[in-house]
Amino acid sequence: MIALTGNLLLLFALLSSISTLIFAKTPAINVDKKYKFTCLFGVFQFLFIFFSYILLTYGFIISDFSLITVWQNSEIQKPLIYKITGVWGNHEGSMLLWLLILSVFLFFIIKYDRRIPRSVLLNTIAVQTSIIFAFLLFIIFTSNPFALQLPAPIDGIGLNTLLQDPGLIIHPPMLYVGYVGYSVLFSYSVAIMLENPQTDNWAKWVEKWAYISWTALTLGICIGSWWAYYELGWGGWWFWDPVENASLLPWITGTALIHSLHNYKSTGQHRDWTLLLSLLSFSFSLMGTFLVRSGILTSVHSFASDPQRGLWILIIMSFFILFSLLIFLRNLQKENEKKDFVFFSRGTFILINNYLLMVSVVVIFFGMMYPLLLEALTEDRITVGPKYFNIVIAPLVIFIAFLMPIAPNLSWQDNWTQYALKKLMISFVITISITIAIQILIYGNAYTFNLLLLGLAIWIIIVSIIDLLPRNLSNFNLSFSELKRKNLPIMGSRIVHMAFGMMIFGIIYASAFSENKDLKMNLGDKIQINKFELQYDGFGTHIGENYDDLQVNFSLMKDDKKVADMAPAKRFFRKSGDITTEASIQKYYFDHIYITVGEVQEQFIFVSVSYKPFVRFIWLGGFLMAFGVSFKTLFRSKIIGITDASAN
Amino acid sequence: MLQQINFVKIFFFSFFIVFLFSVGSASENDQERISDDIMKIAVELKCLECEGQNVYESNSNFSQSIKAYIREELKKGKNTKDIIHDLHKKYGDEILMTPPVQANTYALWILPFFLLSFGFILLLFKLKR
């Protein structure tokens, strides 16, 4: 029954998207009618897809094993929450989620973007619908979540055990909102290019989508990294794994896009480049999906891959990328006004920012694909691991971090203000003092490369904090709405910059100064880690809903006083027999004490203990970034059509 | 106006000095903190049976045998470099997490620095005009 209804819903959705396309592109009928019907069928698409998604979730909840997808990825014993989230823990379901988010965004365009000129809006809806259409075809023909098998088996195979974790509840949907959010920018850009080369206000239309997608992607990546940190049990937070890279690429182009949009909105320069960046962001999102789904690049993430489906996504991807690039090239405009090139202006610095970001995109992409290319061409097999990426990305980060505090203090036109200079100088002196203090306290006497990065991170943080002081924001005697319009967006961008500084600080500090100990412990043994003592108290068991834990108990002590109990575990899943490692993490200010257990014997255990100072800055920074951008999203300057260089 | 330019110059110059200092004697202390030689070697090696894990992180048969091998060799008194060299010889380039700089990886290593300097030259060129 579910299978039949689900297939019908998908079919109706397909018909609605065909109707949307027809109404949006038929020249014969009058514009009002065209608009009305296009929107109507657009909303229909959303509703049908939404209900089909709900239906699949229902199938998972009642464990209807006549659906192949449910049978392969669920079981009766699985906790309810993982039945619901397990919908996107497999290929079919996650593609349906992808489709759902595409259609939700279509719905938002229809509902919230009514003020945009009809012609542009209709084209945008048409492009967005054609993406939905392509993915609907893909789902119906290659990965139908409502595929039926009769008779229904009694119990299912079960969800990949690594994925039965709270991190999975929110990580994929967030990431997908980010990925798919760029489809809106893609659709708008194509529509703008098709419509009128002279359309000028569009920066204001697409701005919020750039912010929303970026926020979601940032959160998605952060949560993913947090999940890897505590679930994979190695204590690492970023592995330069192909799938992580694939999510980082649209994030970087998205970052470049936000800055370029800001520039375009304020000065009217680099229109084409900004459009190209929005096309690129979605292209990289598609590519990320393709890489994960096809299994071309293997990683811990590719829990459901299939080369044949990969081919389909490749076709969809190539079509949209080529199609948009063709339109882009046809509508390429010559920059009409050649201004004098002034080095110390915000525009130039944004351009440099964009260049550096694009170099990192190229470098990461190249590093990711190089082993594949090399093997295809010469059959030589090499591995490009994390160290390579760290080496090549570090100089780029240094430049970016160096320019980051300066750029927002420059004006659009030219030259410095005395005040900005003074501010930078003062902050620079403070930074050097703090950095030297850190160096003396921790390193002793030698300078190291890490210190430079730490110093730059501190500099970013300090300048941003100075910028956030009330006296440096515009006058406070303004009315609230003025204040909102003028100050909050600036505050938002400073918070994001500060958060980025915190993140770099956390990454460098935690990697440079973490202490690791791998050792064998007998009952009652104590070990020293940083300021703490850890005592092994024996082990016990804990029975979960579909797993049993072998818990190893530790007491964490500081100055001979017990601070906390810690209990890392080995988790045995009853059905699959899989064993996962559950780390135990204890917070201490911004630091973490991180324990995982290896082998557990009657007399002794193997344990791995780490002390990771300032590691929490990494995620704190990430979440703060998302928070800062939400300021910008909510309080964007709403005046349309004014090039307001002083506003932010 | 003159004062302003000086400010800027001083500012960049001081950064440059700090930069030189930092690069000059990079990562000496860095190595000291890793006491466990096995870990040091194992993180440099890829687990050839797994997907995207290094030998240290992985618990596969392959990784365990490699770790045991490293332990034996260390006991014999071999140093880190030689052990990695031997394993490299036996299993090929693939086992190294970081690709060696050689004919088939020149492009990989040069591209980032080429792009960076290209941008720099472009900027200088624009500034001159």
Side-chain angles (χ1 to χ4, degrees), chain A residues 192-395:
Chain A
I192 288 158
M193 292 185 299
L194 280 176
E195 176 54 26
N196 180 0
Q198 289 309 329
T199 320
D200 267 339
N201 286 331
W202 58 267
K204 309 235 171 199
W205 308 335
V206 299
E207 218 185 0
K208 63 169 177 285
W209 299 113
Y211 291 144
I212 290 171
S213 320
W214 194 86
T215 309
L217 201 54
T218 308
L219 285 176
I221 294 175
C222 275
I223 296 165
S225 133
W226 173 242
W227 173 77
Y229 178 69
Y230 73 76
E231 179 68 20
L232 296 182
W234 311 319
W237 52 83
W238 191 260
F239 302 95
W240 293 105
D241 168 289
V243 176
E244 287 173 339
N245 288 348
S247 67
L248 193 62
L249 294 178
W251 186 85
I252 299 175
T253 50
T255 312
L257 173 64
I258 287 177
H259 289 92
S260 183
L261 260 179
H262 178 53
N263 191 4
Y264 174 65
K265 196 174 117 186
S266 308
T267 66
Q269 283 184 318
H270 310 300
R271 172 186 184 273
D272 291 331
W273 174 240
T274 312
L275 285 170
L276 184 63
L277 278 177
S278 28
L279 301 183
L280 273 180
S281 299
F282 185 57
S283 305
F284 276 122
S285 301
L286 280 176
M287 206 196 62
T289 319
F290 162 65
L291 290 177
V292 183
R293 293 288 141 226
S294 63
I296 281 192
L297 293 172
T298 49
S299 87
V300 280
H301 286 73
S302 30
F303 46 85
S305 58
D306 175 350
Q308 204 222 330
R309 288 161 176 169
L311 185 68
W312 275 90
I313 302 182
L314 186 65
I315 293 170
I316 296 179
M317 179 177 95
S318 320
F319 172 76
F320 283 106
I321 293 175
L322 289 178
F323 157 80
S324 62
L325 284 183
L326 267 177
I327 296 176
F328 174 77
L329 289 176
R330 229 194 54 196
N331 289 279
L332 206 58
Q333 288 184 331
K334 285 257 154 62
E335 291 278 329
N336 31 20
E337 42 177 331
K338 278 273 178 244
K339 281 190 182 169
D340 286 338
F341 183 78
V342 185
F343 182 69
F344 285 109
S345 68
R346 209 189 291 183
T348 308
F349 271 55
I350 287 182
L351 218 56
I352 298 174
N353 146 310
N354 273 215
Y355 184 80
L356 291 171
L357 289 175
M358 291 324 282
V359 171
S360 25
V361 167
V362 172
V363 165
I364 295 172
F365 187 64
F366 194 61
M368 211 163 110
M369 304 307 279
Y370 196 82
L372 290 179
L373 284 175
L374 192 68
E375 198 181 340
L377 294 175
T378 64
E379 295 195 353
D380 293 346
R381 293 168 66 97
I382 60 161
T383 307
V384 180
K387 209 168 166 190
Y388 169 81
F389 291 103
N390 289 337
I391 292 171
V392 295
I393 291 298

Side-chain angles (χ1 to χ4, degrees), chain B residues 8-9 23 35 38 49 57 63 65 82 87 101 104 116-117 126-127:
Chain B
V8 176
K9 274 190 181 162
V23 177
S35 54
I38 298 181
E49 275 180 358
E57 288 160 354
S63 301
S65 68
D82 291 339
L87 285 167
V101 183
N104 63 8
L116 205 57
S117 22
K126 269 217 142 182
L127 276 178

Side-chain angles (χ1 to χ4, degrees), chain A residues 234 299 343 355 366 370 380-381 383 385 387-388 392 396 402 416 428 443 447 450 452 459 511-512 518, chain B residues 8 11 14 25 29-30 33 44 46 51 53 56-57 94 96-99 104 108 115-116 118-119 127:
Chain A
W234 311 319
S299 87
F343 182 69
Y355 184 80
F366 194 61
Y370 196 82
D380 293 346
R381 293 168 66 97
T383 307
K387 209 168 166 190
Y388 169 81
V392 295
L396 293 166
F402 177 55
W416 300 84
F428 199 66
Y443 279 99
Y447 282 89
N450 290 324
L452 173 69
W459 194 35
S511 9
D518 288 298
Chain B
V8 176
F11 178 67
S14 59
S25 52
N29 274 11
D30 220 299
R33 70 195 169 82
E44 296 290 335
K46 183 179 188 285
E51 293 173 344
Q53 289 182 327
Y56 175 69
E57 288 160 354
E94 204 188 1
L96 299 179
M97 280 305 273
T98 314
N104 63 8
L108 187 69
L115 287 177
L116 205 57
F118 178 75
L127 276 178

Side-chain angles (χ1 to χ4, degrees), chain A residues 578-627:
Chain A
D578 287 346
I579 304 171
T580 62
T581 310
E582 303 293 310
S584 169
I585 299 169
Q586 180 64 39
K587 291 178 281 203
Y588 178 70
Y589 296 104
F590 293 112
D591 309 350
H592 272 162
I593 297 136
Y594 185 106
I595 313 182
T596 49
V597 279
E599 201 181 321
V600 180
Q601 296 283 352
E602 203 66 41
Q603 293 85 16
F604 60 87
I605 52 163
F606 281 103
V607 59
S608 165
V609 184
S610 326
Y611 188 84
K612 297 171 188 293
F614 280 104
V615 74
R616 294 179 77 201
F617 262 36
I618 299 173
W619 298 287
L620 208 64
F623 291 118
L624 207 56
M625 273 191 203
F627 173 73

Side-chain angles (χ1 to χ4, degrees), chain A residues 417-459:
Chain A
T417 59
Q418 273 302 344
Y419 181 64
L421 258 183
K422 216 167 87 189
K423 185 160 68 180
L424 286 176
M425 294 300 293
I426 291 173
S427 61
F428 199 66
V429 172
I430 302 176
T431 307
I432 294 213
S433 337
I434 296 182
T435 318
I436 289 175
I438 290 185
Q439 181 234 326
I440 292 169
L441 283 177
I442 296 161
Y443 279 99
N445 264 325
Y447 282 89
T448 78
F449 195 63
N450 290 324
L451 204 62
L452 173 69
L453 275 162
L454 281 183
L456 285 171
I458 295 170
W459 194 35

Side-chain angles (χ1 to χ4, degrees), chain B residues 28-63:
Chain B
E28 272 172 16
N29 274 11
D30 220 299
Q31 301 298 324
E32 282 177 22
R33 70 195 169 82
I34 307 165
S35 54
D36 196 344
D37 274 350
I38 298 181
M39 177 189 159
K40 206 160 82 186
I41 301 173
V43 293
E44 296 290 335
L45 303 172
K46 183 179 188 285
C47 162
L48 296 178
E49 275 180 358
C50 331
E51 293 173 344
Q53 289 182 327
N54 64 39
V55 167
Y56 175 69
E57 288 160 354
S58 143
N59 270 323
S60 68
N61 292 335
F62 177 82
S63 301

